[in-house]
Amino acid sequence: MRLVIADDEMLERKALSKMIEKEIPDIDLIGEAVNGRMAIQLADMLKPDIMMMDIKMPGIDGVEAVREIRKKNKQIKFIMVSAFNTFEYAKEVMQQGVKEYLLKPSKQSEVIAALSRVMREIEEERQLQAEKQLLQDSLKRALSVIETEWLSSILNDHISFEAWSELLGVEVKSGIIVIFIIQEQNGQLLKEQKHYIYQKLKEQLKTKSECMIGPMVENKIPVLILFNSTQEKNRMKSQAIKLVRNVVTKLRESNLSLFAAMGHPFQTIEDLPNSYHEALRALEQRNHQHEVAYAFPTETRNEEFLSLEKEKELIDLIKMGDRQHVLEVFELYVSELESQSEQKAERMLEELWIVVSRALYEIGIQTDPYTFQQNGSYDQMIAATRQYVVESAELVQAWRNSHTKGYLLKAKEYITEHFHKTITLEEVAEYVELSPFHFSKLFKEKYGVNFIDYVTDLRIEQAKKEMLNTNKSLKEICFSVGYKDPNYFSRVFKKKTGVAPTAYRSTQTPFT
């Protein structure tokens, strides 16, 4: 704790200084002021945690000094000292938020008790703030993961409207899925250009609607527009069209070319996969004229209904790397295509390629863009698709058996090199090219602890090693292992080892 003493009597300052240095070594006396004006200046320059302030000083008195200091530095705690035992003085300082009031000459026990109470209050406030920040950071990370994984989670029945409502802090009852596609007109866009368009789309959508925006894959950006009430489908459709038209038009005004393929509104979680597939069909049917901003599928779901359960089962098996069962379910899937026209069946096959490609991406496997061929015969398309789903399952199986170990080893090496800095799960996941959700899951399965506990253990073990060096202060060690607050470091160290850093160090053999 950093302390400044403000008192016009030199003997009083020296007495307090000696007393505090002897009884509370954790307090660092960083400055002394002989009047109120100097106290204000020291508060601005040194930013102490605590100020012991004499009320009666020449020029600006202690009460006025506190008033001025609190205008800029509300976090500073004050202990007022006065030779006058009157209610008016006590009332005046209490109005400035001062809770500790000592009378001169102050007894050592009273001074130490007052300082201890203030230090305890500061510690509690810091702990509360640290916990609040940790909660905010955790919420941000959770929302980041949700926004990356929402499509996979919902299509596979992993999340409900109720769960969404709790996570997002809004009531979610219905919505609509839209797939935005970046239209490349004059050659291919650079990765940075696509990222810029993606960010601009997010900015526009987030300011106009409650929505979930998925990652961009092959120029396609899935968006779930949410409604907090169950409305007539035509009304939801009208609202969604208005939003999409405004967003696309706004971006096109900035020479950013987008098209929006829209599914129909849904009012139950079970309808969401249908809305997504409708958006995919609308995308395939899109009008390439530049003035067209959006489109719905021209055919209704009932006319093109295909067993979503079979498709979902197929995707689940691919994600498990189950080659044998993937082949069996694919043959059943193909048999259902026979009831469709050849044109519709071809479109469904292409849609399956898109869904498989996205499934691989969402579990963290980077693949080449899908290359569905429409210039062959129908049987050739079936054979090519069969080979694609089987190879995808084999790729997942190989990834699970060998690549996962490599990714996690690479992640451990990165953590070891960077744990002394601020490091996040998202940062490491991006480094090893996995989604945060799957990296977190794989890390816990492999090492038996979550990411945060692993980094914490690494930091504490390093701190214990550095404590053998008596030339380093605990504060220096705190900063060198990645913590910014010595008090927080002390709490974490004690939680992990059972003893405070000072006590632990005293039990170790000094470094020689």
Side-chain angles (χ1 to χ4, degrees):
M1 294 286 180
R2 294 153 56 85
L3 171 69
V4 167
I5 297 175
D7 196 305
D8 59 329
E9 297 180 18
M10 183 181 68
L11 292 178
E12 183 70 17
R13 296 197 307 273
K14 297 303 179 186
L16 287 172
S17 175
K18 187 174 181 180
M19 181 190 309
I20 294 168
E21 182 180 359
K22 177 182 176 182
E23 298 295 328
I24 313 180
D26 289 341
I27 287 186
D28 184 11
L29 180 58
I30 59 174
E32 296 182 9
V34 299
N35 55 50
R37 185 175 302 279
M38 187 176 180
I40 296 171
Q41 293 172 347
L42 289 181
D44 283 339
M45 290 190 301
L46 303 178
K47 300 292 189 293
D49 300 304
I50 307 170
M51 294 188 76
M52 295 191 73
M53 185 83 69
D54 186 18
I55 290 181
K56 279 296 183 181
M57 291 185 290
I60 298 177
D61 66 15
V63 177
E64 182 61 27
V66 170
R67 186 179 293 114
E68 289 300 315
I69 291 170
R70 284 181 59 82
K71 288 179 181 179
K72 297 180 181 179
N73 302 281
K74 294 187 180 297
Q75 77 283 359
I76 296 177
K77 304 295 182 184
F78 295 92
I79 297 176
M80 305 304 292
V81 183
S82 174
F84 303 94
N85 185 16
T86 66
F87 176 72
E88 288 303 318
Y89 278 113
K91 178 182 177 182
E92 196 168 4
V93 295
M94 284 189 292
Q95 289 174 344
Q96 302 304 318
V98 177
K99 298 180 180 179
E100 296 293 339
Y101 187 96
L102 299 175
L103 290 175
K104 292 183 179 180
S106 304
K107 295 181 180 179
Q108 177 174 307
S109 59
E110 294 173 347
V111 172
I112 301 307
L115 279 168
S116 298
R117 287 192 294 270
V118 173
M119 290 173 65
R120 190 159 50 248
E121 182 179 348
I122 293 174
E123 286 282 358
E124 290 172 353
E125 289 179 358
R126 287 179 176 175
Q127 182 176 359
L128 185 62
Q129 183 61 34
E131 292 171 352
K132 182 179 178 181
Q133 185 62 47
L134 183 62
L135 182 62
Q136 290 175 344
D137 292 343
S138 298
L139 179 59
K140 287 180 181 178
R141 288 194 294 270
L143 290 176
S144 174
V145 171
I146 291 167
E147 207 157 54
T148 302
E149 304 291 333
W150 67 264
L151 184 59
S152 175
S153 296
I154 298 175
L155 291 181
N156 292 286
D157 300 326
H158 292 161
I159 194 166
S160 65
F161 281 159
E162 292 75 17
W164 272 3
S165 299
E166 184 175 348
L167 287 167
L168 298 175
V170 296
E171 188 174 14
V172 178
K173 290 189 175 180
S174 56
I176 188 170
I177 284 187
V178 181
I179 298 177
F180 289 89
I181 183 167
I182 300 173
Q183 300 185 120
E184 302 182 48
Q185 297 165 13
N186 300 315
Q188 291 189 339
L189 293 172
L190 297 176
K191 182 179 179 181
E192 293 77 13
Q193 293 173 306
K194 293 180 182 180
H195 180 72
Y196 173 76
I197 296 173
Y198 179 73
Q199 292 302 321
K200 296 299 289 185
L201 176 63
K202 287 184 72 172
E203 291 173 10
Q204 287 292 317
L205 288 169
K206 290 292 188 180
T207 58
K208 294 179 170 61
S209 172
E210 191 70 50
C211 59
M212 299 291 289
I213 303 170
M216 177 170 59
V217 180
E218 300 166 4
N219 291 13
K220 300 178 184 68
I221 307 165
V223 174
L224 173 57
I225 301 171
L226 301 169
F227 298 94
N228 59 10
S229 62
T230 302
Q231 309 174 45
E232 291 183 2
K233 289 191 175 183
N234 286 339
R235 185 176 179 185
M236 284 194 290
K237 185 175 179 179
S238 175
Q239 291 179 0
I241 289 173
K242 182 179 179 181
L243 169 65
V244 168
R245 185 192 296 118
N246 288 342
V247 169
V248 173
T249 301
K250 185 74 173 178
L251 293 177
R252 286 183 176 181
E253 289 174 355
S254 302
N255 295 320
L256 305 178
S257 183
L258 287 175
F259 171 83
M262 304 180 67
H264 289 94
F266 63 91
Q267 295 178 326
T268 66
I269 202 73
E270 291 78 13
D271 287 336
L272 178 56
N274 295 334
S275 185
Y276 175 62
H277 284 271
E278 288 170 348
L280 287 174
R281 290 198 296 275
L283 185 61
E284 189 271 336
Q285 299 165 356
R286 70 186 184 278
N287 188 331
H288 289 276
Q289 297 177 8
H290 300 330
E291 64 271 19
V292 177
Y294 67 92
F296 287 88
T298 57
E299 299 162 314
T300 64
R301 289 174 302 176
N302 290 333
E303 292 172 349
E304 275 196 282
F305 179 79
L306 184 67
S307 176
L308 294 177
E309 290 185 356
K310 280 287 179 288
E311 183 175 280
K312 177 180 179 298
E313 185 179 359
L314 188 61
I315 297 301
D316 286 343
L317 290 170
I318 290 173
K319 288 182 175 181
M320 292 170 58
D322 190 339
R323 181 187 185 281
Q324 179 181 351
H325 289 98
V326 160
L327 195 56
E328 293 174 2
V329 173
F330 178 76
E331 297 306 327
L332 294 174
Y333 181 85
V334 170
S335 68
E336 293 191 24
L337 292 181
E338 295 176 357
S339 63
Q340 308 294 331
S341 69
E342 189 168 294
Q343 182 180 7
K344 291 179 182 179
E346 289 176 1
R347 183 172 61 251
M348 294 301 177
L349 286 173
E350 182 176 15
E351 182 180 308
L352 178 61
W353 280 63
I354 296 172
V355 173
V356 171
S357 176
R358 181 172 291 277
L360 295 177
Y361 175 85
E362 289 177 342
I363 66 172
I365 298 178
Q366 302 294 327
T367 61
D368 294 330
Y370 76 91
T371 53
F372 182 76
Q373 301 294 328
Q374 289 186 314
N375 53 1
S377 68
Y378 177 71
D379 288 340
Q380 289 174 328
M381 293 180 188
I382 292 289
T385 306
R386 180 186 294 110
Q387 181 180 353
Y388 179 61
V389 298
V390 170
E391 287 179 351
S392 296
E394 291 174 344
L395 182 63
V396 172
Q397 185 179 50
W399 179 83
R400 287 183 176 276
N401 291 340
S402 60
H403 289 71
T404 299
K405 182 178 180 181
Y407 286 140
L408 294 180
L409 180 60
K410 185 178 178 182
K412 281 186 67 176
E413 291 173 348
Y414 184 89
I415 295 169
T416 301
E417 292 177 4
H418 296 85
F419 74 88
H420 59 286
K421 304 176 183 177
T422 301
I423 186 172
T424 65
L425 182 146
E426 289 74 19
E427 173 186 345
V428 181
E430 181 179 2
Y431 176 74
V432 298
E433 299 180 338
L434 294 176
S435 72
F437 176 83
H438 287 283
F439 170 71
S440 177
K441 182 179 179 182
L442 291 171
F443 194 95
K444 179 68 179 292
E445 289 175 352
K446 178 67 175 177
Y447 299 118
V449 293
N450 62 35
F451 173 84
I452 294 176
D453 286 341
Y454 181 87
V455 174
T456 300
D457 290 341
L458 195 61
R459 287 172 169 170
I460 296 304
E461 287 304 311
Q462 181 62 27
K464 288 162 69 175
K465 293 177 182 177
E466 293 192 15
M467 285 181 191
L468 297 176
N469 185 348
T470 56
N471 294 325
K472 271 193 173 183
S473 68
L474 291 177
K475 185 179 292 186
E476 289 175 311
I477 293 173
C478 161
F479 295 145
S480 71
V481 298
Y483 292 100
K484 296 181 179 180
D485 184 348
N487 295 309
Y488 180 70
F489 163 70
S490 180
R491 289 195 298 273
V492 173
F493 189 95
K494 186 173 182 179
K495 182 178 179 180
K496 287 291 184 179
T497 65
V499 294
T502 305
Y504 178 86
R505 188 173 216 175
S506 67
T507 65
Q508 305 304 304
T509 303
F511 181 85
T512 57

